[in-house]
Amino acid sequence: MSAETFPAIIIDREGDGQKVSFRSIDETALPPGNTLVRVEASTVNYKDGLLLSGAIPLIQSFPMVPGIDLAGIVEWSDHPRWRPGDRVIANGWGLGERHWGGYAGKCRLDGDWLVACPDRFSAKQAMAIGTAGYTAMLCVLALERQGVQPDDGEILVTGASGGVGSIAISLLARRGYRVVAATGRLSEEPYLRHLGAASLIDRAEFAQAGAPLQKERWAGAIDTAGSHMLANICASLRYGGTVAATGIAQGADFPATMYPLALRGITICGVDSVHAAVELRQTTWKALAAELDLGLLKSMTNEIALADVIEVAPTILAGGVRGRIVVEVGT
Ligand code: NDP
């Protein structure tokens, strides 16, 4: 009997570059692993755009199935935590870079990388959250670990219309923070206010090199941009403030000075989602299940088919996606 086939996006090496295709594969093609998951849904994050475009050489071996996130059902497992039928999520751990990821009907992987999908979320809702939403909550928890509280003052969120930004705004507003959304798309004001932003600021105000110490404004910030934006945020944090820094949408450089650290005691808190410990992931998904407004999540999400991921990749890298994208993988 021939093995069941399923659709997949595959990235092959081509000369010095790479070639992306959409084709059918079967289970025998999957790399080894102690758990087999039938993928129901995935998503498109900024990093998925990077993997699909090859803009930064992140892929460690070819051929590669990209997709840094997946949600699905365990079909088979040798791992002590998982049984057939369990509803699971995977984010990061090198999926799509070093290990075949979520853009295929099935994924064989290490059961250590899975967390249980909270009962409150369907597979599609879990992927509407995905790495972006889970990272947004990691950032909120990081600010609070540093002692930032709602009555301390305004919190700035950069990349506000993007995935991390949209979910961060809704989570912070729900916790009672006054959120200022920094965006290049001021036309998205109704959307950003609907998510919970109290006011908007043009990201152009942060985009160029600024003075090393500026007027103290932010009690905290969640930054997805890096580069001058992060440097200007540091220069305008209030005394003792914290920025949770997680992204590089403007750039991976960090042209800043020591003055805000040495003279205002600010904290730059790096946030990584890829290798976050399982316990932290469980805490984070539990907090998302307790707090995230599913109506708001729906209002920030669009759904596409697996084959359509290829053409969305350049759009997300160009900052043209609003909110989140769910990819329907299962049939
Ligand atoms: P999105 O593309 O959904 O959002 C990024 C947003 O950044 C855009 O929507 C846009 O928002 C803004 N933006 C675009 N270009 C620029 C620019 N040149 N300067 C400043 N802002 C810009 O991506 P995600 O939300 O998925 O990810 C955001 C960032 O966070 C990425 O760099 C990603 O790699 C990183 N990230 C890191 C993680 C980690 O583990 N460290 C995990 C998840 C994400 P607007 O139009 O509103 O300004």
Side-chain angles (χ1 to χ4, degrees):
M1 201 175 76
S2 61
E4 179 198 346
T5 63
F6 47 86
I9 293 178
I10 313 261
I11 304 181
D12 291 294
R13 167 75 75 207
E14 189 177 60
D16 288 341
Q18 60 181 46
K19 183 174 159 226
V20 183
S21 59
F22 180 66
R23 54 187 200 249
S24 277
I25 58 170
D26 67 40
E27 238 176 83
T28 60
L30 295 175
N34 60 23
T35 303
L36 180 67
V37 176
R38 181 160 55 79
V39 180
E40 295 179 291
S42 184
T43 178
V44 186
N45 301 278
Y46 187 89
K47 190 170 191 178
D48 293 307
L50 290 174
L51 291 164
L52 285 155
S53 72
I56 302 179
L58 295 171
I59 297 179
Q60 311 282 314
S61 66
F62 293 88
M64 176 58 63
V65 171
I68 68 171
D69 285 321
L70 63 87
I73 294 176
V74 173
E75 277 202 352
W76 168 89
S77 183
D78 233 1
H79 189 281
R81 278 192 7 243
W82 307 114
R83 299 275 170 280
D86 286 346
R87 299 178 60 245
V88 291
I89 303 169
N91 314 102
W93 293 120
L95 289 174
E97 296 176 75
R98 289 188 301 282
H99 312 280
W100 284 20
Y103 291 159
K106 294 190 185 190
C107 181
R108 192 151 48 206
L109 75 181
D110 187 334
D112 281 350
W113 302 340
L114 297 171
V115 294
C117 182
D119 290 342
R120 185 161 174 251
F121 301 139
S122 66
K124 284 184 182 174
Q125 286 167 328
M127 289 297 97
I129 298 164
T131 287
Y134 141 69
T135 302
M137 184 56 102
L138 285 173
C139 290
V140 172
L141 297 178
L143 290 182
E144 294 198 342
R145 262 200 316 277
Q146 294 302 321
V148 179
Q149 293 296 318
D151 55 8
D152 288 348
E154 293 176 311
I155 308 292
L156 184 72
V157 174
T158 62
S161 313
V164 176
S166 292
I167 297 185
I169 290 168
S170 66
L171 292 172
L172 287 165
R174 169 102 180 203
R175 286 189 173 208
Y177 289 92
R178 186 177 165 79
V179 183
V180 178
T183 182
R185 290 179 267 181
L186 291 169
S187 57
E188 292 294 355
E189 178 162 2
Y191 167 76
L192 293 167
R193 285 193 183 273
H194 176 67
L195 297 183
S199 61
L200 272 66
I201 192 164
D202 190 336
R203 78 171 189 228
E205 290 186 30
F206 299 86
Q208 309 297 327
L213 284 176
Q214 301 168 24
K215 186 166 180 284
E216 293 181 44
R217 178 158 182 194
W218 318 110
I222 292 178
D223 179 54
T224 62
S227 193
H228 292 301
M229 304 247 322
L230 179 56
N232 284 317
I233 289 168
C234 291
S236 54
L237 278 173
R238 286 191 190 172
Y239 191 92
T242 297
V243 54
T246 198
I248 56 166
Q250 185 181 26
D253 58 332
F254 182 34
T257 75
M258 271 299 295
Y259 291 121
L261 293 123
L263 301 178
R264 291 185 183 161
I266 69 149
T267 300
I268 303 168
C269 197
V271 173
D272 167 58
S273 67
V274 177
H275 294 104
V278 172
E279 297 71 29
L280 179 57
R281 289 169 190 262
Q282 287 164 341
T283 306
T284 305
W285 277 99
K286 200 170 157 196
L288 285 161
E291 295 175 35
L292 193 60
D293 181 320
L294 293 181
L296 286 184
L297 183 67
K298 192 170 178 200
S299 72
M300 65 176 93
T301 305
N302 288 303
E303 193 174 315
I304 62 171
L306 181 56
D308 298 335
V309 164
I310 297 170
E311 66 193 44
V312 167
T315 312
I316 197 162
L317 291 184
V321 169
R322 186 181 89 171
R324 299 283 298 135
I325 296 173
V326 167
V327 179
E328 182 166 20
V329 180
T331 46

